[in-house]
């Protein structure tokens, strides 16, 4: 049985899905980097994390 949704509700749901897809797409790698950084010991500085030339 299909759910009867109004056109406005469908548009809102489509926008929510689109925004959440963008958040997931652009937030996944920074999230993984943060989890790795926060669980490592000793914790490296942020500059060493992002710059390959810093010692």
């Amino acid at each position: 049985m299909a759910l009867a949704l109004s056109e406005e509700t469908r548009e809102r749901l489509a926008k929510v899905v689109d925004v959440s897809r963008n958040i997931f797409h652009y937030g996944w790698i920074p999230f993984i980097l943060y989890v790795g950084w926060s669980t490592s010991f000793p914790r490296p500085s942020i500059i060493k994390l992002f710059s390959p030339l810093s010692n």
Side-chain angles (χ1 to χ4, degrees):
M1 184 168 143
L3 201 62
L5 299 174
S6 68
E7 188 65 30
E8 181 182 351
T9 305
R10 288 183 191 159
E11 289 174 5
R12 285 186 182 187
L13 284 173
K15 188 168 185 170
V16 166
V17 168
D18 189 41
V19 168
S20 62
R21 186 178 294 150
N22 283 333
I23 289 171
F24 183 78
H25 180 81
Y26 291 110
W28 181 248
I29 298 296
F31 175 71
I32 296 300
L33 289 175
Y34 172 74
V35 168
W37 175 78
S38 66
T39 59
S40 65
F41 183 79
R43 192 175 290 171
S45 69
I46 297 295
I47 294 173
K48 287 184 179 180
L49 185 64
F50 290 113
S51 176
L53 300 177
S54 66
N55 290 4

Coordinates of all heavy atoms in Angstrom, one line a residue:
M1 N 0.8 -1.2 0.0 CA 0.0 0.0 0.0 C 0.9 1.2 0.0 O 1.7 1.4 0.9 CB -0.9 0.0 1.2 CG -1.9 1.1 1.3 SD -3.1 0.8 2.6 CE -3.3 2.4 3.1
A2 N 0.7 2.1 -0.9 CA 1.5 3.3 -1.1 C 1.0 4.4 -0.2 O -0.2 4.5 0.1 CB 1.5 3.8 -2.5
L3 N 1.9 5.2 0.3 CA 1.6 6.3 1.2 C 1.3 7.5 0.3 O 2.0 7.9 -0.6 CB 2.8 6.6 2.1 CG 2.6 7.4 3.3 CD1 1.7 6.6 4.3 CD2 3.9 7.6 4.0
A4 N 0.1 8.1 0.5 CA -0.3 9.3 -0.2 C 0.3 10.5 0.4 O -0.1 10.9 1.5 CB -1.8 9.4 -0.3
L5 N 1.3 11.1 -0.3 CA 1.9 12.3 0.1 C 1.6 13.5 -0.8 O 1.5 13.3 -2.0 CB 3.5 12.1 0.1 CG 4.0 11.0 1.1 CD1 5.5 10.9 0.9 CD2 3.7 11.3 2.5
S6 N 1.5 14.6 -0.2 CA 1.2 15.8 -1.1 C 2.5 16.2 -1.8 O 3.6 15.7 -1.5 CB 0.8 17.0 -0.2 OG 1.9 17.4 0.6
E7 N 2.4 17.0 -2.8 CA 3.5 17.4 -3.7 C 4.5 18.2 -2.8 O 5.7 18.0 -3.0 CB 3.0 18.2 -4.8 CG 4.1 18.6 -5.8 CD 4.7 17.3 -6.5 OE1 3.9 16.4 -6.7 OE2 5.8 17.4 -6.9
E8 N 4.0 19.0 -1.9 CA 4.9 19.8 -1.0 C 5.7 18.9 -0.1 O 6.9 19.1 0.1 CB 4.1 20.8 -0.2 CG 4.9 21.6 0.7 CD 4.1 22.6 1.6 OE1 2.9 22.6 1.4 OE2 4.7 23.2 2.5
T9 N 5.1 17.8 0.4 CA 5.8 16.9 1.3 C 6.9 16.1 0.5 O 8.0 15.9 1.0 CB 4.8 15.9 1.9 OG1 3.8 16.6 2.6 CG2 5.5 15.0 2.9
R10 N 6.6 15.8 -0.7 CA 7.5 15.1 -1.6 C 8.7 16.0 -1.9 O 9.9 15.5 -1.9 CB 6.9 14.7 -2.9 CG 6.0 13.5 -2.7 CD 5.4 13.1 -4.1 NE 4.3 12.2 -3.9 CZ 3.4 11.9 -4.8 NH1 3.4 12.5 -5.9 NH2 2.4 11.0 -4.5
E11 N 8.5 17.2 -2.2 CA 9.6 18.2 -2.4 C 10.5 18.4 -1.2 O 11.7 18.4 -1.3 CB 9.0 19.5 -2.9 CG 8.4 19.5 -4.3 CD 7.8 20.8 -4.7 OE1 7.9 21.8 -3.9 OE2 7.2 20.9 -5.7
R12 N 9.8 18.5 0.0 CA 10.6 18.6 1.2 C 11.5 17.4 1.5 O 12.6 17.5 1.9 CB 9.7 18.9 2.4 CG 9.1 20.3 2.4 CD 8.4 20.5 3.7 NE 7.8 21.9 3.6 CZ 7.2 22.4 4.6 NH1 7.0 21.8 5.8 NH2 6.7 23.6 4.6
L13 N 10.9 16.2 1.3 CA 11.6 15.0 1.5 C 12.8 14.9 0.5 O 13.9 14.4 0.9 CB 10.7 13.8 1.4 CG 9.8 13.5 2.5 CD1 8.8 12.4 2.2 CD2 10.6 13.1 3.8
A14 N 12.6 15.3 -0.7 CA 13.6 15.2 -1.7 C 14.7 16.2 -1.3 O 15.9 15.8 -1.5 CB 13.1 15.6 -3.1
K15 N 14.4 17.4 -0.8 CA 15.4 18.3 -0.4 C 16.2 17.8 0.8 O 17.4 17.9 0.9 CB 14.8 19.7 -0.1 CG 15.8 20.7 0.2 CD 15.2 22.1 0.2 CE 16.3 23.1 0.3 NZ 15.8 24.5 0.1
V16 N 15.5 17.2 1.8 CA 16.2 16.6 2.9 C 17.1 15.5 2.5 O 18.3 15.5 3.0 CB 15.1 16.1 4.0 CG1 15.8 15.2 5.0 CG2 14.4 17.3 4.6
V17 N 16.7 14.7 1.6 CA 17.6 13.6 1.2 C 18.8 14.2 0.4 O 19.9 13.7 0.6 CB 16.8 12.6 0.3 CG1 17.7 11.7 -0.5 CG2 15.8 11.8 1.1
D18 N 18.6 15.2 -0.4 CA 19.7 15.8 -1.1 C 20.7 16.4 -0.2 O 21.9 16.3 -0.3 CB 19.1 16.8 -2.1 CG 20.2 17.3 -3.1 OD1 21.0 16.5 -3.5 OD2 20.2 18.6 -3.3
V19 N 20.2 17.2 0.8 CA 21.1 17.8 1.8 C 21.8 16.8 2.6 O 23.0 16.9 2.8 CB 20.3 18.8 2.7 CG1 21.1 19.3 3.8 CG2 19.8 20.0 1.8
S20 N 21.1 15.8 3.1 CA 21.8 14.7 3.9 C 22.8 14.0 3.0 O 23.9 13.6 3.5 CB 20.8 13.8 4.5 OG 20.1 13.1 3.5
R21 N 22.6 13.8 1.8 CA 23.5 13.1 0.9 C 24.8 14.0 0.7 O 25.9 13.4 0.8 CB 22.9 12.9 -0.5 CG 23.8 12.0 -1.4 CD 23.1 11.8 -2.7 NE 21.9 10.9 -2.5 CZ 20.8 11.0 -3.2 NH1 20.7 11.8 -4.2 NH2 19.8 10.1 -3.0
N22 N 24.6 15.3 0.6 CA 25.8 16.2 0.5 C 26.6 16.2 1.8 O 27.8 16.2 1.8 CB 25.3 17.6 0.1 CG 25.0 17.7 -1.4 OD1 25.5 17.0 -2.2 ND2 24.1 18.6 -1.7
I23 N 25.9 16.2 2.9 CA 26.6 16.2 4.2 C 27.4 15.0 4.4 O 28.5 15.0 4.8 CB 25.5 16.4 5.4 CG1 25.0 17.8 5.3 CG2 26.2 16.1 6.7 CD1 23.8 18.0 6.3
F24 N 26.8 13.8 4.0 CA 27.5 12.6 4.1 C 28.7 12.5 3.2 O 29.8 12.1 3.5 CB 26.5 11.4 3.8 CG 27.2 10.1 4.0 CD1 27.4 9.5 5.2 CD2 27.5 9.3 2.9 CE1 28.0 8.3 5.4 CE2 28.1 8.1 3.0 CZ 28.3 7.6 4.3
H25 N 28.5 13.0 1.9 CA 29.5 12.9 0.9 C 30.7 13.8 1.3 O 31.9 13.3 1.2 CB 28.9 13.5 -0.4 CG 29.9 13.4 -1.5 ND1 30.2 12.3 -2.2 CD2 30.7 14.4 -2.0 CE1 31.2 12.6 -3.1 NE2 31.4 13.9 -3.1
Y26 N 30.5 15.0 1.8 CA 31.6 15.9 2.1 C 32.1 15.8 3.6 O 33.1 16.3 3.9 CB 31.2 17.3 1.8 CG 31.1 17.6 0.3 CD1 29.9 17.8 -0.2 CD2 32.2 17.6 -0.5 CE1 29.7 18.0 -1.6 CE2 32.1 17.8 -1.8 CZ 30.9 18.0 -2.4 OH 30.7 18.2 -3.7
G27 N 31.4 15.0 4.4 CA 31.8 14.9 5.8 C 32.4 13.6 6.2 O 32.9 13.4 7.3
W28 N 32.4 12.6 5.3 CA 32.9 11.3 5.6 C 34.4 11.3 5.8 O 34.8 10.7 6.9 CB 32.5 10.3 4.5 CG 32.9 8.9 4.7 CD1 33.9 8.2 4.1 CD2 32.4 8.0 5.8 NE1 34.0 7.0 4.6 CE2 33.1 6.8 5.7 CE3 31.5 8.2 6.7 CZ2 32.9 5.7 6.5 CZ3 31.2 7.1 7.6 CH2 31.9 5.9 7.5
I29 N 35.2 11.8 4.9 CA 36.6 11.8 5.1 C 37.1 12.6 6.3 O 37.9 12.1 7.1 CB 37.3 12.3 3.8 CG1 37.0 11.3 2.6 CG2 38.8 12.4 4.0 CD1 37.5 9.9 2.8
P30 N 36.6 13.8 6.5 CA 36.9 14.5 7.7 C 36.5 13.8 9.0 O 37.3 13.8 10.0 CB 36.2 15.9 7.6 CG 36.0 16.1 6.2 CD 35.8 14.7 5.6
F31 N 35.4 13.1 9.0 CA 35.0 12.3 10.1 C 36.0 11.1 10.4 O 36.4 10.9 11.5 CB 33.6 11.7 9.9 CG 33.1 10.8 11.0 CD1 32.8 11.3 12.3 CD2 33.0 9.5 10.8 CE1 32.4 10.5 13.3 CE2 32.6 8.6 11.8 CZ 32.3 9.1 13.0
I32 N 36.4 10.4 9.4 CA 37.3 9.3 9.5 C 38.7 9.9 10.0 O 39.3 9.3 10.9 CB 37.5 8.6 8.2 CG1 36.2 7.9 7.8 CG2 38.6 7.6 8.3 CD1 35.7 6.9 8.8
L33 N 39.1 11.0 9.5 CA 40.4 11.6 9.9 C 40.3 12.0 11.4 O 41.2 11.8 12.2 CB 40.8 12.8 9.1 CG 41.2 12.5 7.7 CD1 41.4 13.8 6.9 CD2 42.5 11.7 7.7
Y34 N 39.2 12.6 11.8 CA 39.0 13.0 13.2 C 39.0 11.8 14.1 O 39.6 11.8 15.2 CB 37.7 13.8 13.4 CG 37.4 14.0 14.8 CD1 38.1 15.0 15.6 CD2 36.4 13.3 15.5 CE1 37.9 15.2 16.9 CE2 36.2 13.5 16.8 CZ 36.9 14.4 17.5 OH 36.7 14.6 18.9
V35 N 38.3 10.7 13.7 CA 38.3 9.5 14.6 C 39.7 8.9 14.7 O 40.1 8.5 15.8 CB 37.3 8.5 14.0 CG1 37.4 7.1 14.7 CG2 35.9 9.0 14.2
G36 N 40.4 8.9 13.6 CA 41.8 8.4 13.7 C 42.7 9.3 14.5 O 43.5 8.8 15.3
W37 N 42.5 10.6 14.4 CA 43.3 11.5 15.2 C 43.0 11.4 16.7 O 43.9 11.5 17.5 CB 43.1 12.9 14.6 CG 43.8 14.0 15.4 CD1 45.1 14.3 15.4 CD2 43.2 14.9 16.4 NE1 45.4 15.3 16.2 CE2 44.2 15.7 16.9 CE3 41.9 15.0 16.9 CZ2 44.0 16.7 17.8 CZ3 41.7 16.0 17.8 CH2 42.7 16.8 18.2
S38 N 41.7 11.3 17.0 CA 41.3 11.4 18.4 C 41.6 10.1 19.1 O 41.7 10.1 20.3 CB 39.8 11.7 18.5 OG 39.1 10.6 18.0
T39 N 41.8 9.0 18.4 CA 42.1 7.7 19.1 C 43.6 7.3 19.0 O 43.9 6.3 19.6 CB 41.3 6.6 18.5 OG1 41.6 6.5 17.1 CG2 39.8 6.8 18.7
S40 N 44.4 8.1 18.4 CA 45.8 7.8 18.3 C 46.6 8.3 19.5 O 46.2 9.3 20.1 CB 46.4 8.4 17.0 OG 46.4 9.8 17.1
F41 N 47.6 7.6 19.8 CA 48.5 8.0 20.9 C 49.9 7.9 20.5 O 50.3 6.8 20.1 CB 48.2 7.2 22.2 CG 49.0 7.6 23.4 CD1 48.6 8.7 24.1 CD2 50.1 6.9 23.7 CE1 49.3 9.1 25.2 CE2 50.9 7.4 24.8 CZ 50.4 8.4 25.6
P42 N 50.8 8.9 20.6 CA 50.5 10.2 21.0 C 49.8 11.0 19.9 O 49.9 10.7 18.7 CB 51.9 10.8 21.2 CG 52.8 10.0 20.4 CD 52.2 8.6 20.3
R43 N 48.9 11.9 20.3 CA 48.1 12.6 19.3 C 48.9 13.6 18.6 O 49.5 14.5 19.2 CB 47.0 13.3 20.1 CG 45.9 13.9 19.2 CD 44.8 14.4 20.0 NE 44.1 13.3 20.6 CZ 43.1 13.5 21.5 NH1 42.8 14.7 21.9 NH2 42.5 12.5 22.1
P44 N 49.0 13.5 17.2 CA 49.8 14.5 16.5 C 49.1 15.9 16.4 O 47.9 16.0 16.6 CB 49.9 13.9 15.1 CG 48.6 13.0 15.0 CD 48.4 12.5 16.4
S45 N 49.9 16.9 16.1 CA 49.3 18.2 16.0 C 48.5 18.3 14.7 O 48.7 17.5 13.8 CB 50.4 19.3 16.0 OG 51.2 19.2 14.8
I46 N 47.6 19.2 14.6 CA 46.8 19.4 13.4 C 47.7 19.7 12.2 O 47.4 19.2 11.1 CB 45.7 20.5 13.6 CG1 44.8 20.1 14.7 CG2 44.9 20.7 12.3 CD1 43.9 18.9 14.5
I47 N 48.7 20.5 12.4 CA 49.6 20.8 11.2 C 50.3 19.6 10.7 O 50.4 19.4 9.5 CB 50.6 21.9 11.7 CG1 49.9 23.2 12.0 CG2 51.7 22.1 10.6 CD1 50.7 24.3 12.6
K48 N 50.8 18.7 11.6 CA 51.4 17.5 11.1 C 50.4 16.6 10.4 O 50.8 15.8 9.6 CB 52.1 16.8 12.3 CG 53.3 17.5 12.7 CD 54.0 16.7 13.8 CE 55.3 17.4 14.2 NZ 56.0 16.7 15.3
L49 N 49.2 16.6 10.8 CA 48.2 15.8 10.2 C 47.9 16.1 8.8 O 47.7 15.3 8.0 CB 46.9 15.9 11.1 CG 45.7 15.0 10.7 CD1 46.1 13.5 10.9 CD2 44.5 15.3 11.5
F50 N 47.9 17.4 8.5 CA 47.5 17.9 7.1 C 48.6 18.3 6.2 O 48.5 18.3 5.0 CB 46.5 19.0 7.2 CG 45.2 18.6 7.7 CD1 44.7 19.1 9.0 CD2 44.4 17.8 7.0 CE1 43.5 18.7 9.4 CE2 43.1 17.4 7.4 CZ 42.7 17.8 8.7
S51 N 49.8 18.6 6.8 CA 50.9 19.0 6.0 C 52.0 17.9 5.9 O 52.6 17.5 6.9 CB 51.5 20.3 6.5 OG 52.7 20.6 5.8
P52 N 52.3 17.4 4.7 CA 53.3 16.4 4.6 C 54.7 16.9 4.7 O 55.6 16.1 4.9 CB 53.1 15.8 3.2 CG 52.4 16.9 2.4 CD 51.6 17.7 3.4
L53 N 54.9 18.2 4.7 CA 56.2 18.8 4.7 C 56.7 19.1 6.1 O 57.8 19.4 6.4 CB 56.3 20.0 3.8 CG 56.0 19.8 2.4 CD1 56.0 21.1 1.6 CD2 57.0 18.8 1.8
S54 N 55.7 19.2 7.1 CA 56.1 19.5 8.5 C 56.7 18.3 9.2 O 56.4 17.2 8.9 CB 54.9 20.0 9.2 OG 54.0 18.9 9.4
N55 N 57.7 18.6 10.0 CA 58.4 17.5 10.7 C 57.9 17.4 12.1 O 57.8 18.2 12.9 CB 59.9 17.7 10.7 CG 60.4 17.5 9.3 OD1 59.7 17.2 8.4 ND2 61.7 17.5 9.1

